[in-house]
Structure formats: C-alpha cells, structure tokens
Amino acid sequence: MVTAVLPLYLVVGLGLSPLQFGFLDGLFNSAAAVVRLLGGHAADRGGRHKRVAGLGYALSACSRLGLLLAGGATGQIATALAVDRVGKGIRTAPRDALITLSSPPHLLGRAFGVHRAMDTTGALLGPLAAFALLWATADAYDAVFVVSFCTGLLGVLLLVLYVPARAAPTESSTPHRIKPLGALRSAAFRRILCAAALLGAATVGDSFVYLLLQRGLDIPVGWFPLLPLGSAAAYLLLAVPAGRIADRVGRRLPFLYGHVALLGVYALLLIPAGGPALVIVVPVLILLGVFYAATDGVLMALAAPSLPDGGRAGGLALLQTAQALARLLGTAGFGAAWTVWGPGPALWMAAVALLVSLAGSWALLPGTPTPDPERPTA
C-alpha cells in the first residue's frame, strides 16, 4: 500500500524533488544490503529465525506510523524510510530460512512458489487498496498509513501466534561456531553465488523495461502504472507451477531458463515498433513474469541444500545481497549506456552480456538432483 503511494506523497504531496526522493530511496536500499547480512547472522545464532523475522516485519509496520507523524519534516521522513528498509533487510533471509527449515527438501521449489505467489498477491492488492482509500478520503494519505500499519501489525501477530519456531541448531552447527561468511566454505554455494551475481549484473531493472515499452510503443502515460501489474499477475499465476517443475527436474535448469525468458524480453524490446502495441506488450509482461517465477524462489531452493541448518539464514542473506548489489550495478550500467549511446545500443549490450552470463552460469552451477522424498532428513 505504502510503496504504491510513497513517490506520489513525497514528490507531489510534500514537494520533495525527484532527486531528493531518489537519493533517499537509493541510500536506504543500499544500506539494507548490509543490514540483511547482520539479520541473517543474528537469526542463525541460537536458531532465532522467527524472532528476527518478526522484528523485521514489526519495524516495517511501525515505519508507517513514522510517516504519519513526520508531517513534512524531511529528517523524520528519512528516519521512517530508514526504519522500513532496515526492517525489510532484517526479515528477508530469516523468513526464507524458515521456509527451507519447515519444508521437505524435495518440495522446496513449491514452498517458495507458494510464498512468492502470496507475496505477489499482496503486491497486487496493496496498490488497489491504497488508491481506493485515497479516492474515498479525498487524497488523505494519513488513512493509507494507518490502514497499512494495522494490516502489517495483523501480519506480525499471525507470525507470532501461528508460525512454529525452529529449534536451536544441532551440535554440528552450534551458535558459537557460526561465522558471517561461513557459507563460503561450501564449494557448491560459492558456485551458486557467483552464477547469481554474474546473471544479476546482466539484468536490466524492471523500471527500464517498462520505460522502454512506453517510449518505444508510445503507450499513454495514464496506462503506464498498469505495466507492473501485468508482470506481477503473470508472476502470481506461474510461481507455484515453476516451483513444482523445479522440484521435479532439478532447480538448476529452471533458474537458467528463467534468464532465457529475460533474454526474450530484450529481444522483443529490440523489435522495431509497428503494429498493435499489445503484440509486444503482452508477451514482454508474460516473459517478465516467467523470469521471476523461475528464478526468485527457485534460486533460494537451489542454494538452501548446500547450507547447514545452523547457517541457513546467513548464507541466504549473503546470496541475496550479492545478487542485489550485482543488479544495482547492472541497472546503473544500463542507465549510463542509455545516456551515452541511446536505448538501442544499451539494450544490445545488455542482451550480449546476458548471453555471456548464461554461458558462464551454465558451467558454474553444480548439478543438483532433486532430493529423494523417501530419504530421511534432519
């Protein structure tokens, strides 16, 4: 809800410049990468995955009250945004670790598919609820912040009351032996980490994809906000089937084929404009949904078996951070290439980089046979 209206509230409602908003958002997103590593390490010490994840969700919920009380004070707004990003950084790896520790190894792909589908459902319903509230209350942003806080608080209560806590690590991974970068001892994990970073550096940000669609096909500005909803809807429908397929055939190939779908997005964007816009827009949005469905949760399911139970959250945090920083680098590089040479050459460069990254990742990723459901697990 808040993500959908925040740029409008800060830039239009409070008069912040786009540069100020972009600086604040970029600064705190980068800081969240460091917090994610700390959150993952803290969760592994004593098996406190539920506690740390709950703290992260609670911080994000409370940040809505910070926005409500901030008024137009830039410093208080920055503090509220910082609390939100810290909460997101803290909770992600422990939450994903909880999923891996609470699911049978041979069903990890489907488990992450279900989670990502539910998460995307919220991403679809949140903006609709936010804009409905703005319409009903004559643009009262305070109402959005209050309802968002109450909804977030309800989520935290559900987590506290109904999500089972994981027991402390076994003697093979006792808390005092856990190190922040201990996951790098696993050769299989190192290869997965390198492949994810390599492919992430060749990934163009979604915003650029939507902007290329809008400019190349001359889509009316009023329709622009619907583009993310289209790809999110495709992701929602495909997340669980992609996870099930990954569980059956192994997670390496779906992860790589997901990036082949992204390569298809680049190829469609390179087609000269002509004919109905929907002929290009619909396939691009569907392929973008395929990309996320086959890579986001599948990557976590691919990496989790190579990590010990006691270091699961820290390892996943390291993987997520490396991928996020690589994508930030790739997006910045694409933006710079667009500025210097134009969108066409920049897109060609991105496509070539993705092809090279796919070849390298094919060699890097270890073979990961699907776990045997009959084999007893710890």
Side-chain angles (χ1 to χ4, degrees):
M1 292 176 67
V2 172
T3 300
V5 303
L6 194 59
L8 195 66
Y9 171 66
L10 296 179
V11 176
V12 177
L14 299 183
L16 268 66
S17 70
L19 179 61
Q20 288 175 308
F21 172 69
F23 175 76
L24 289 175
D25 192 58
L27 176 65
F28 294 133
N29 276 328
S30 300
V34 178
V35 175
R36 184 179 297 167
L37 293 175
L38 296 176
H41 181 61
D44 283 333
R45 295 184 65 85
R48 297 175 292 189
H49 304 94
K50 173 181 173 179
R51 193 179 308 172
V52 175
L55 174 63
Y57 279 108
L59 284 173
S60 290
C62 291
S63 72
R64 278 53 174 152
L65 291 182
L67 289 171
L68 179 67
L69 299 174
T74 304
Q76 295 181 28
I77 292 171
T79 301
L81 290 177
V83 171
D84 177 57
R85 296 305 189 271
V86 167
K88 288 182 177 180
I90 287 176
R91 76 186 185 223
T92 304
R95 178 203 65 206
D96 285 351
L98 270 177
I99 293 174
T100 67
L101 296 171
S102 305
S103 307
H106 66 286
L107 295 180
L108 281 179
R110 181 165 62 176
F112 276 105
V114 170
H115 173 265
R116 278 10 181 203
M118 295 299 98
D119 189 59
T120 308
T121 300
L124 283 171
L125 296 180
L128 297 177
F131 286 112
L133 272 174
L134 289 178
W135 176 79
T137 59
D139 292 341
Y141 291 96
D142 290 356
V144 176
F145 299 149
V146 170
V147 174
S148 176
F149 166 73
C150 294
T151 306
L153 185 61
L154 175 61
V156 173
L157 289 175
L158 289 174
L159 186 148
V160 171
L161 295 176
Y162 294 106
V163 174
R166 182 73 180 177
T170 61
E171 63 277 2
S172 63
S173 55
T174 50
H176 67 276
R177 295 180 184 174
I178 298 171
K179 297 182 179 180
L181 301 180
L184 294 177
R185 295 177 180 176
S186 167
F189 179 78
R190 290 197 303 269
R191 294 163 74 93
I192 294 170
L193 179 72
C194 291
L198 188 63
L199 290 166
T203 300
V204 173
D206 294 357
S207 298
F208 279 124
V209 172
Y210 303 139
L211 191 58
L212 287 165
L213 277 176
Q214 192 273 328
R215 292 195 173 188
L217 300 175
D218 198 23
I219 298 173
V221 176
W223 291 97
F224 186 80
L226 296 180
L227 295 178
L229 294 181
S231 59
Y235 181 19
L236 168 62
L237 294 174
L238 297 171
V240 176
R244 291 172 64 94
I245 291 172
D247 286 336
R248 290 182 179 180
V249 305
R251 290 140 196 166
R252 173 176 177 267
L253 287 179
F255 178 69
L256 292 172
Y257 288 153
H259 287 85
V260 173
L262 181 63
L263 189 62
V265 170
Y266 296 172
L268 287 172
L269 291 173
L270 286 168
I271 296 176
L278 289 178
V279 175
I280 299 295
V281 172
V282 173
V284 165
L285 297 183
I286 291 175
L287 285 174
L288 201 57
V290 171
F291 164 65
Y292 281 112
T295 59
D296 188 12
V298 172
L299 176 61
M300 298 298 105
L302 174 65
S306 65
L307 297 167
D309 285 6
R312 189 70 54 89
L316 294 181
L318 184 61
L319 176 61
Q320 292 161 356
T321 300
Q323 185 183 49
L325 293 178
R327 286 183 173 177
L328 178 62
L329 179 65
T331 299
F334 180 82
W338 184 340
T339 302
V340 175
W341 296 298
L347 199 53
W348 274 110
M349 291 176 62
V352 172
L354 184 55
L355 269 175
V356 174
S357 299
L358 274 168
S361 298
W362 182 277
L364 274 172
L365 286 177
T368 51
T370 306
D372 183 2
E374 300 299 327
R375 188 180 64 190
T377 57

